[in-house]
Amino acid sequence: MTSSADYRPTRRVEGSPRVTVTRKLLPETEARMRELFDVTLSTDDRPMSRDALVAAMQTAHVLVPTVTDVIDADLIAQAGPQLGLIANFGAGTDHIALGAARARKIIVTNTPGVFTDDTADMAIALIISVTRRLNYGGRILRAGKWEGWAPSTMLGHRLSGKTLGILGMGRIGQAVAWRARAFGLNVIYHSRHRLSQAQESMFGAQFEPDLDKLVAQSDILTLHCPATPETHHIIDARRIALMKPEAYLVNTARGQLIEEEALIAALVDGRIGGAGLDVFEHEPKVDPRLTAHHNVAILPRMGSATFEGRRASGDKVIANVRVWADGHRPPDQVLDGLV
């Protein structure tokens, strides 16, 4: 949230605002945008080139980017004077140079909260998948190599009684903690801000102020913090070395949180139990050593991929654009990393 002092009044846009959307959205979202705005939609659903982004920002009143679009300071410097709003489709804004936007008096909005349950569900799915070796079992079955049940093969680990370490206890981290209770997991967490005693009691979570201790104590470590300069490679080679030999690392947040080369080395050497990954450091490129590893549960960035979540995100984008075009403060304004 932002204070009233952070809001910069805008002039009402006469007529329909010119809106450029960088990626293909749900049909109902695009249909509503056609009704309300002078909108340019994506037809091939591929990331826009830098030149195309520049052209859009020089003509549109509103740019609707996604996480695949890097809106850096140089790009914002080339925006036309008419661009007044960057209405991001998604909650994360680490791909947008917020300070540069603020300097140009361009408002940035996002769509917070709509993917919380979806991403938390996916984190739990990856936790189950990697600890019970679902990815490996499915691979064996599809390859026609399964020779039948045996008492000493395909063994994984029971969740009940294990310690789940949560790095980042915002909306998604809390949603994961709530779900973890149903599996009998003991929850510890590290976050910039400690929860209240009532919240800790509700989630059955214990605060660990020392991140190194959290990493060392966790049987499963799941990441739910934003990508910032401070969190880049927050799980690096040193911290991976602190993990238990049978511990698992799960990431549904941002690929840059993990030093991927160090993770791969630990997996190859058998120094950790496995990993569940929905995001990658160099995506869309994925290191083949990850896809080939027998105990890596791997997904192509599906954490927010639900009809309900994408529909709700589109609704928030439309609301932000409409309110801004009417000359008012958009409901989901973001400034300088404040979400």
Side-chain angles (χ1 to χ4, degrees), residues 127-199:
I127 288 169
I128 296 171
S129 181
V130 70
T131 56
R132 294 299 305 272
R133 307 187 73 190
L134 303 188
N135 185 65
Y136 181 59
R139 184 182 299 178
I140 293 295
L141 198 63
R142 289 186 176 89
K145 296 180 180 179
W146 186 52
E147 298 178 352
W149 181 87
S152 60
T153 62
M154 304 303 298
L155 302 183
H157 286 279
R158 177 184 298 167
L159 289 182
S160 179
K162 298 297 190 298
T163 297
L164 175 67
I166 299 177
L167 174 53
M169 202 62 154
R171 292 186 184 95
I172 297 172
Q174 291 176 35
V176 170
W178 181 256
R179 286 158 172 76
R181 296 190 63 174
F183 293 92
L185 285 158
N186 303 312
V187 176
I188 58 176
Y189 75 96
H190 177 86
S191 196
R192 287 181 301 172
H193 306 291
R194 183 172 182 175
L195 300 179
S196 68
Q197 287 187 342
Q199 288 175 306

Side-chain angles (χ1 to χ4, degrees), residues 106-298:
I106 298 170
I107 291 175
V108 177
T109 60
N110 67 341
T111 61
V114 298
F115 299 127
T116 297
D117 286 337
D118 304 327
T119 307
D121 289 346
M122 191 60 77
I124 294 294
L126 283 171
I127 288 169
I128 296 171
S129 181
V130 70
T131 56
R132 294 299 305 272
R133 307 187 73 190
L134 303 188
N135 185 65
Y136 181 59
R139 184 182 299 178
I140 293 295
L141 198 63
R142 289 186 176 89
K145 296 180 180 179
W146 186 52
E147 298 178 352
W149 181 87
S152 60
T153 62
M154 304 303 298
L155 302 183
H157 286 279
R158 177 184 298 167
L159 289 182
S160 179
K162 298 297 190 298
T163 297
L164 175 67
I166 299 177
L167 174 53
M169 202 62 154
R171 292 186 184 95
I172 297 172
Q174 291 176 35
V176 170
W178 181 256
R179 286 158 172 76
R181 296 190 63 174
F183 293 92
L185 285 158
N186 303 312
V187 176
I188 58 176
Y189 75 96
H190 177 86
S191 196
R192 287 181 301 172
H193 306 291
R194 183 172 182 175
L195 300 179
S196 68
Q197 287 187 342
Q199 288 175 306
E200 289 184 348
S201 177
M202 178 175 65
F203 296 126
Q206 178 181 338
F207 179 64
E208 175 50 70
D210 188 324
L211 177 54
D212 286 354
K213 289 183 179 179
L214 179 95
V215 171
Q217 294 171 25
S218 298
D219 297 304
I220 305 153
L221 177 63
T222 182
L223 310 184
H224 302 288
C225 50
T228 67
E230 292 73 30
T231 62
H232 183 78
H233 286 180
I234 193 168
I235 303 301
D236 56 9
R238 184 185 69 80
R239 287 200 167 111
I240 289 172
L242 297 175
M243 295 177 68
K244 297 178 181 179
E246 293 185 339
Y248 300 94
L249 180 60
V250 173
N251 189 10
T252 57
R254 290 290 188 267
Q256 292 79 9
L257 300 179
I258 298 174
E259 185 182 348
E260 199 166 273
E261 191 62 36
L263 170 62
I264 292 169
L267 288 165
V268 171
D269 294 343
R271 289 185 277 114
I272 63 171
L277 305 172
D278 187 45
V279 291
F280 309 92
E281 186 172 5
H282 306 293
E283 60 187 53
K285 294 181 179 179
V286 180
D287 195 297
R289 292 172 292 175
L290 290 174
T291 56
H293 196 275
H294 66 92
N295 211 20
V296 174
I298 201 164

Side-chain angles (χ1 to χ4, degrees), residues 8-87:
R8 300 180 301 282
T10 62
R11 255 188 281 175
R12 180 187 177 95
V13 176
E14 297 300 329
S16 297
R18 294 190 300 276
V19 178
T20 296
V21 183
T22 66
R23 298 299 297 267
K24 194 169 182 61
L25 305 181
L26 290 183
E28 54 264 46
T29 300
E30 294 187 341
R32 186 61 175 151
M33 285 183 163
R34 288 191 188 97
E35 293 175 1
L36 296 171
F37 314 131
D38 177 7
V39 64
T40 300
L41 298 168
S42 173
T43 57
D44 61 3
D45 199 24
R46 295 179 180 275
M48 292 179 70
S49 69
R50 192 169 182 85
D51 288 344
L53 283 170
V54 169
M57 294 172 72
Q58 289 178 343
T59 58
H61 293 109
V62 180
L63 181 73
V64 181
T66 71
V67 69
T68 60
D69 306 300
V70 178
I71 313 299
D72 58 27
D74 182 62
L75 207 62
I76 289 172
Q78 299 181 68
Q82 83 296 325
L83 184 71
L85 176 65
I86 298 174

